[in-house]
Amino acid sequence: MATSSRALGYLESRKNLTGSALGLVGLALTFTGLAGAYWPFVIAGLYGAGALIAPPERPAAPDFPDPASRLDELRADFAKLHDYLGEVELPPAASGRLTELDALLAALLEPGWVADALATDPEAVYSLSRTIRQDIPESVDTYTRTRWWTRLTPGTEPPERHLERQLGVLFTEADTIAAALREAESRRQQTHTRYLEDRQRNS
């Protein structure tokens, strides 16, 4: 099967097609009498020359997912996270932290120019993906389980303090991403200003 596939692939290759085209030229020369008694060598030589000068085969580039489609998947997971958090009872302070983080994540994932800029930064997309798919669910779930044990062993450190600290760290990470996007737009604006001023001076 592999041998027949390679043979079929060569028949369809540029080398064979180019060589065959020049071979037909040699055949035409034979019929007109220009090739003389050496016509087999003329045809074979033209075929070989065509096979040599044909451009090499170029394998197709891999078709990776579009960055925008990755954000669509992340938005769907963000909606699932919302459904999960809606079933969890959190203390007021942690709930306030989570609300701030939720608003920032929603703004970054909002379809539009911000999300378009975000999609060009794979590290930022990965960081948000980790926050939504791993960090927030793990923080909330760990709080829920630890709170149950705390009720059995009073006097230990309240688990909500750890939850508040964790959500604070996650907010800082997301805010850093937003600041980087904002800085990129600011540099873009400054570059355009310099371009316009240079154009005016050179006109």
Side-chain angles (χ1 to χ4, degrees), residues 60-119:
D63 184 19
F64 293 118
D66 184 81
S69 66
R70 294 176 58 195
L71 287 186
D72 289 338
E73 296 174 1
L74 192 53
R75 290 185 190 102
D77 290 340
F78 188 45
K80 293 179 184 177
L81 179 63
H82 264 277
D83 294 339
Y84 163 68
L85 295 176
E87 300 176 0
V88 180
E89 181 181 351
L90 298 177
S95 180
R97 284 277 192 180
L98 186 59
T99 299
E100 293 176 351
L101 177 58
D102 176 81
L104 181 54
L105 293 175
L108 288 171
L109 293 174
E110 179 80 25
W113 68 268
V114 175
D116 292 341
L118 174 65

Side-chain angles (χ1 to χ4, degrees), residues 7 10 40 48 70 73 100 117 124 126 133 136 140 163 170 176 195:
Y10 180 76
R70 294 176 58 195
E73 296 174 1
E100 293 176 351
Y126 170 75
R133 294 169 174 159
I136 295 177
V140 173
L163 178 60
L170 294 176
T176 300
Y195 162 73

Side-chain angles (χ1 to χ4, degrees), residues 6 15 25 32 34 71 89 106 126 128 136 139 152-153 175:
R6 284 196 295 270
K15 289 182 176 296
V25 173
T32 59
L34 296 176
L71 287 186
E89 181 181 351
Y126 170 75
L128 291 184
I136 295 177
S139 295
L152 298 180
T153 55
D175 191 52

